[in-house]
Amino acid sequence: MAKFAPKRGESSGTAVMPAGAARFVDGYLAYLLARASHLVSAQFHARLPEARLSVAEWRVLCTLSDGDRLAVGALARFVLHKQPTLTKILDRMARRGWVKRAASEADGRIVLVRITAAGRRKVAPLLAAAKRHEADVLAGSGGAEAEALKAVLRDLIARCAADSMPTPPALSKRLRTR
Amino acid sequence: MAKFAPKRGESSGTAVMPAGAARFVDGYLAYLLARASHLVSAQFHARLPEARLSVAEWRVLCTLSDGDRLAVGALARFVLHKQPTLTKILDRMARRGWVKRAASEADGRIVLVRITAAGRRKVAPLLAAAKRHEADVLAGSGGAEAEALKAVLRDLIARCAADSMPTPPALSKRLRTR
DNA sequence: GTCCAGAATATGACTTTTCATGGATCGGCG
DNA sequence: CGCCGATCCATGAAAAGTCATATTCTGGAC
């Protein structure tokens, strides 16, 4: 079966695509990342509803599953949502007893979020399922190839995250002196 | 500057992360893809509001920019949205004159969508900007490395798309015979 | 000590997306 | 032909996300 065989109707109508000419999106990195991300996750996400979890809730739980506490804003960046969105997600999750909020002792503005024992029980089987699903997706590629892909992605992430960092303290100080 | 330096507050509180132990999410392919996709696109997406475009509208226009017509459902899969969502996006875009709907002559159920001249004018400068942005993101990696990454992503996409394909006609026929 | 700019989170109005469903059409089969 | 399951798109109610803003707190300047 051809790997790029169009889905039903995908090329219907009067599509005129010269053999050699790829679509814009097929060569555009941002789109390939978005589509790969979407498809790779889709199969796993399809199993979340039966666990009564939304995608965002799953991401919160597996991010917190390592045990440390995170500020709301920091957690929001991890789960790829805006802070007000996460606040509302945390409200639901706290009501259900999966996470707990506590004011930071060091800084009164910060609210630290941690996973509860119930949250851990909720997420444990899903973490295992996620690992199995990843293995399935990567089956056929060697382990080295998979690690190489992850390394490239981590590099991309680091590079873009650096760009989107808020102005560093040292510089903002200088800026304030106009 | 350390590439993985935590953002302000990212490690505040009582985080206890042994040096060697990576977070679950740092080793999880689906998360790395989601985060890379999110961050790579973020900088470009930040420039869409000034062009009065939403992310979804941008994706519709650049997908259609190659000139062929697509069915609503097929287009929805391209732009990574559900079909009802796309129908509403297309309503807005058609009102603004960027796309046009037309019934398929071959199949009365299908509505084919194509970009208009106005839509083309709208998206042209953005296509150029997108290419420049991609070049910026990939600056520092060789062209060969970038192509390799894209090839891996296309492979992932092809593999997952095959899995999520609706049951092939031949098989569904067999299934119907219970 | 007081002031003030800036940071972190919460809240409410608003917009966007999704789910469930309905109407229309197609294709195959008796 | 006429039926029947399946496919495709549109619609309306419900859910989720976002923007702008309010509130509380911090840390440094004066």
Side-chain angles (χ1 to χ4, degrees):
Chain A
M1 194 199 306
K3 277 190 171 178
F4 285 101
K7 288 195 170 64
R8 209 175 323 95
E10 207 109 305
S11 297
S12 58
T14 55
V16 223
M17 181 66 61
R23 290 170 185 284
F24 167 78
V25 292
D26 288 329
Y28 183 46
L29 178 65
Y31 178 71
L32 293 174
L33 280 169
R35 180 143 187 166
S37 169
H38 185 85
L39 287 174
V40 165
S41 298
Q43 294 155 321
F44 179 71
H45 289 175
R47 306 175 52 177
L48 289 176
E50 71 195 47
R52 305 279 178 178
L53 273 182
S54 72
V55 173
E57 289 165 346
W58 149 247
R59 281 211 279 241
V60 167
L61 287 180
C62 76
T63 299
L64 293 177
S65 71
D66 296 299
D68 53 336
R69 305 170 186 203
L70 280 176
V72 173
L75 185 54
R77 283 189 290 273
F78 270 105
V79 299
L80 312 178
H81 278 292
K82 307 298 179 196
Q83 172 266 312
T85 306
L86 181 61
T87 287
K88 285 155 193 173
I89 293 168
L90 290 176
D91 289 344
R92 284 200 294 276
M93 297 183 73
R95 270 200 303 275
R96 294 177 195 178
W98 298 333
V99 298
K100 219 169 171 65
R101 280 191 256 222
S104 161
E105 296 141 25
D107 186 335
R109 294 168 297 182
I110 288 181
V111 172
L112 293 169
V113 186
R114 69 171 174 77
I115 192 171
T116 63
R120 234 176 254 291
R121 281 193 299 273
K122 185 85 184 174
V123 80
L126 291 170
L127 285 169
K131 281 172 189 144
R132 280 198 306 274
H133 174 250
E134 174 171 325
D136 287 352
V137 169
L138 290 174
S141 336
E145 197 176 314
E147 265 319 308
L149 171 59
K150 290 184 186 178
V152 172
L153 292 174
R154 274 191 286 261
D155 189 52
L156 263 180
I157 290 168
R159 208 171 327 158
C160 293
D163 292 352
S164 64
M165 282 272 270
T167 322
L171 184 56
S172 75
K173 197 160 196 173
R174 265 191 284 147
L175 284 177
R176 221 192 310 166
T177 70
R178 264 170 272 191
Chain B
M1 194 199 307
K3 278 189 169 176
F4 282 101
K7 289 195 170 61
R8 215 171 317 96
E10 205 110 303
S11 297
S12 59
T14 55
V16 223
M17 181 65 60
R23 288 169 186 284
F24 167 77
V25 291
D26 288 328
Y28 183 46
L29 178 65
Y31 177 70
L32 293 174
L33 281 169
R35 180 145 187 164
S37 169
H38 185 84
L39 287 174
V40 166
S41 297
Q43 293 155 323
F44 179 72
H45 288 174
R47 305 177 52 176
L48 289 176
E50 71 194 47
R52 306 276 178 180
L53 273 181
S54 73
V55 173
E57 289 166 347
W58 149 247
R59 281 208 280 239
V60 167
L61 287 180
C62 75
T63 300
L64 293 177
S65 70
D66 296 298
D68 53 336
R69 306 172 185 203
L70 281 177
V72 174
L75 186 53
R77 284 190 290 272
F78 270 106
V79 300
L80 313 178
H81 278 291
K82 307 297 177 196
Q83 173 265 314
T85 305
L86 182 61
T87 287
K88 283 153 195 174
I89 292 167
L90 290 176
D91 289 342
R92 286 199 292 275
M93 296 182 73
R95 270 201 304 275
R96 295 178 193 175
W98 299 333
V99 299
K100 218 168 172 69
R101 281 189 254 222
S104 162
E105 296 142 24
D107 185 336
R109 295 167 298 181
I110 287 181
V111 172
L112 293 169
V113 187
R114 69 170 174 80
I115 192 170
T116 63
R120 234 176 254 292
R121 281 193 298 275
K122 185 84 185 172
V123 79
L126 291 170
L127 285 170
K131 282 172 188 143
R132 280 198 306 275
H133 175 250
E134 174 171 326
D136 287 353
V137 169
L138 290 174
S141 336
E145 197 177 314
E147 265 320 308
L149 171 58
K150 289 184 186 178
V152 172
L153 292 175
R154 274 190 285 262
D155 188 52
L156 262 181
I157 290 168
R159 206 169 330 157
C160 292
D163 292 352
S164 65
M165 283 270 271
T167 323
L171 184 54
S172 76
K173 195 159 194 172
R174 266 190 284 147
L175 283 177
R176 219 189 314 164
T177 72
R178 257 169 276 195

